[in-house]
Amino acid sequence: MSNAETARDTAPAPTKREWIALAVLSVGLGVIVLDGTIVGVALPAIIQDIHLDLTDAQWVNSLYAVVLAALLLSTGKLADSLGRKRMFILGLIVFMGGSLMAALAETAGLLIGARAVQAVGAAFIMPSTLSTVNAVFRGKYRAAAFGVWGAVISGAAAVGPLAGGALTQWASWHWIFLVNLPVGALVIVAALLTVPATRGGTDRPGADVDGALLSAIGFGALVFAVIEGPDLGWLTPKSDLAIFGWTWPKDAPISAVPVAFGIAAVALVLFVVWERHRERVRRSALLDLDLFTLRTFSWGNVTAAAVAIGEFAIIFVLPLYLINAVGLDVMGAGLVLAAMAIGAFLSGASARHLAARFGAPGTVLIGLALEVVGALVLALIIQGSTLGWLVAIPLVVYGLGLGLASAQLTGTVLRDVPVEVSGQASATQSTVRQIGSALGTAFAGATLSVTLALTLPAALSAAGITGAEATKLADATRQSAGTSILQLREQGAAGPLGEHAGAAVDALSAGFADATRWALVVATLFLVLGLIGALRLKRAASATGPHA
């Protein structure tokens, strides 16, 4: 028997209080993960209520992930040095404050700003939970704890649309944020009583402020460019860009988007160079780049990013399609999307047994294969009048894969990471997931926007609606992320289109479905990339052998 296997078998069993602490940390984590997806199904109602356009809607979804991604490396380091329990509780307080601001928001700017405050709180919470689990649990118990943590990630993300649908339809969209207040208060009390205080050791001086700024600029500029590309123009400006009273004019020789891509590339390259420099001079660094010499860590993060991009692309476009094109109410859309949660919970519960037979990396591989199949079938069946239950069937398959991959991926990524740098490693993995979720929304929204400009006029023309009227309908539908279809459907023959309303609604629904299909194809391509990453991860794990 190897030393690793002996350590795994002789690791002390966690106490009852430590298991309760895991549950408390999981609920805290679940709240912030849920908040990343609960907004999606409520977006059509929010768009109507406070008059968002498609770009605003993307930012409501994406800014949360962008800010979270920009801060996680910094907060993971802070959690190691200042104490993980303290950061967890502080994060919950900030997150609750942002939730209250979001619930009271009456304009797009205020809501987007509130989402940024929520993300700051979430950035304190997420690395604190995973690094605490890594520090408290040992051997075979660590694998079980990581399984719980991963299952919470996938399960909470999948439950978000159903929770959002129920709260929006039976109360109002404001309650998707207000519900965080009582839950957060209960978690704080429970954390004070049960969560052990842990911190990581550091023998290096200094705070890596420059690294934090470079990572924030790089990731923020990247997501900004992808989201704003369709409206501002990928190369030549299509509209003015106004930021804090300063305007990038429409008649500029180049759009702000390629400039943002350039800023992102320069900032991220400088970040890597700077972190190498901090390592050479033995100063505290934001990211230990040596972690990426661990092949399981590197390939695991590639896989995690692809999973997140695919998942959040699907969660962004499907509610808009189901509510606006198919005509389901908010709760109906939530129930269809809950098929993902059903699959995720079923497979999350059984992932441990599959891992015992195929190994954790093998289970991740099986999960990614199921995700690819589910997303591909979904893309193939999407039509303007597809029944909700038909959409739900491939979502169950997709959810089964999501549960398997997420439940086992966390432990596999961190299997070779020393405990003393678990905060950095945990934060890095969480950062990768959040970058993936932000890019998933961004890529899906960009694909939807670009393809709507093609599919809507084509569908209207096929229905015999042409000229200025068709252009006006197509533009309104694209800018409103499909909400104008819902309004035309409700108005019927009494609306401005009169007896042509039915034909226009059918045509716009078909065009929106075509664009949704392309967004799902993009999501599937990223999941295929994740499948390739999972194959490499399995090989890397086999090469390093079993770990405690």
Side-chain angles (χ1 to χ4, degrees):
M1 182 178 292
S2 69
N3 292 335
E5 289 170 319
T6 302
R8 186 168 63 249
D9 292 339
T10 60
T15 64
K16 181 179 179 181
R17 180 179 175 182
E18 288 171 340
W19 283 118
I20 295 174
L22 174 63
V24 172
L25 292 168
S26 296
V27 173
L29 173 70
V31 169
I32 64 171
V33 173
L34 187 74
D35 216 71
T37 60
I38 196 172
V39 173
V41 77
L43 263 182
I46 299 173
I47 288 169
Q48 279 191 295
D49 194 22
I50 59 176
H51 311 296
L52 305 181
D53 59 24
L54 178 56
T55 302
D56 291 332
Q58 286 177 263
W59 277 115
V60 168
N61 254 7
S62 284
L63 188 67
Y64 182 80
V66 172
V67 175
L68 194 46
L71 295 179
L72 275 171
L73 290 176
S74 306
T75 54
K77 187 74 174 177
L78 279 174
D80 280 349
S81 58
L82 300 180
R84 294 150 183 159
K85 178 177 180 178
R86 182 181 301 170
M87 289 288 285
F88 179 70
I89 292 171
L90 176 61
L92 285 166
I93 293 169
V94 174
F95 183 79
M96 290 162 63
S99 298
L100 181 60
M101 290 171 59
L104 299 176
E106 296 181 350
T107 65
L110 289 174
L111 179 57
I112 292 169
R115 292 287 281 168
V117 175
Q118 282 188 301
V120 172
F124 289 167
I125 295 169
M126 186 171 279
S128 303
T129 60
L130 187 52
S131 52
T132 300
V133 171
N134 202 33
V136 171
F137 292 84
R138 293 285 185 273
K140 61 182 180 181
Y141 302 105
R142 179 183 289 175
F146 279 153
V148 171
W149 196 90
V152 168
I153 286 276
S154 59
V159 164
L162 178 60
L167 289 169
T168 301
Q169 183 150 329
W170 294 333
S172 73
W173 67 262
H174 305 276
W175 276 96
I176 66 176
F177 301 113
L178 288 174
V179 72
N180 294 329
L181 302 183
V183 175
L186 289 173
V187 173
I188 288 173
V189 173
L192 288 169
L193 296 174
T194 64
V195 174
T198 64
R199 65 176 66 200
T202 179
D203 55 358
R204 296 186 181 182
D208 190 4
V209 177
D210 293 335
L213 289 173
L214 286 170
S215 67
I217 292 169
F219 294 137
L222 175 62
V223 177
F224 169 85
V226 176
I227 288 178
E228 296 289 349
D231 282 332
L232 296 180
W234 295 104
L235 187 60
T236 305
K238 293 168 60 177
S239 61
D240 291 343
L241 169 64
I243 303 177
F244 303 123
W246 177 81
T247 301
W248 186 292
K250 184 179 179 180
D251 57 1
I254 191 172
S255 167
V257 172
V259 175
F261 275 125
I263 291 171
V266 171
L268 293 175
V269 169
L270 287 176
F271 172 71
V272 172
V273 172
W274 178 252
E275 295 306 290
R276 288 292 189 199
H277 166 74
R278 300 282 294 189
E279 178 66 29
R280 282 197 304 271
V281 299
R282 309 297 292 173
R283 301 279 290 178
S284 176
L286 199 64
L287 176 62
D288 183 359
L289 293 172
D290 287 339
L291 287 170
F292 289 95
T293 62
L294 304 171
R295 293 179 62 217
T296 50
F297 186 79
S298 297
W299 284 111
N301 276 303
V302 169
T303 306
V307 169
I309 290 174
E311 178 183 4
F312 279 81
I314 290 170
I315 286 174
F316 179 75
V317 298
L318 275 188
L320 297 174
Y321 161 75
L322 290 169
I323 292 171
N324 296 330
V326 178
L328 299 181
D329 59 24
V330 177
M331 190 59 202
L335 286 170
V336 171
L337 293 169
M340 278 193 297
I342 293 170
F345 280 124
L346 287 175
S347 60
S350 61
R352 184 166 54 89
H353 303 294
L354 275 176
R357 180 173 180 182
F358 299 105
T363 305
V364 172
L365 190 59
I366 294 169
L368 260 296
L370 287 172
E371 286 190 55
V372 168
V373 170
L376 186 59
V377 171
L378 188 62
L380 292 174
I381 67 169
I382 289 290
Q383 301 289 336
S385 57
T386 304
L387 296 175
W389 65 267
L390 279 176
V391 176
I393 292 173
L395 282 179
V396 172
V397 177
Y398 174 83
L400 287 169
L402 182 65
L404 291 177
S406 295
Q408 295 300 312
L409 189 54
T410 303
T412 307
V413 173
L414 298 179
R415 72 198 295 269
D416 299 326
V417 174
V419 173
E420 59 269 19
V421 291
S422 64
Q424 280 195 61
S426 304
T428 302
Q429 186 194 185
S430 299
T431 299
V432 166
R433 287 179 185 265
Q434 291 307 314
I435 293 168
S437 63
L439 288 175
T441 297
F443 283 130
T447 304
L448 191 66
S449 181
V450 169
T451 52
L452 281 173
L454 302 173
T455 61
L456 292 175
L460 288 167
S461 178
I465 304 172
T466 58
E469 183 181 45
T471 301
K472 183 179 177 181
L473 282 172
D475 288 345
T477 302
R478 190 179 75 85
Q479 288 295 330
S480 68
T483 304
S484 61
I485 304 175
L486 188 63
Q487 294 168 341
L488 287 173
R489 185 181 287 113
E490 290 172 349
Q491 292 167 352
L497 297 179
E499 62 183 15
H500 301 295
V505 166
D506 290 342
L508 291 171
S509 296
F512 201 94
D514 290 339
T516 301
R517 188 181 309 114
W518 280 109
L520 292 172
V521 167
V522 169
T524 305
L525 290 175
F526 278 103
L527 291 173
V528 170
L529 177 63
L531 185 62
I532 295 169
L535 279 167
R536 300 300 299 265
L537 174 63
K538 188 174 186 299
R539 291 176 187 171
S542 299
T544 56
H547 281 67

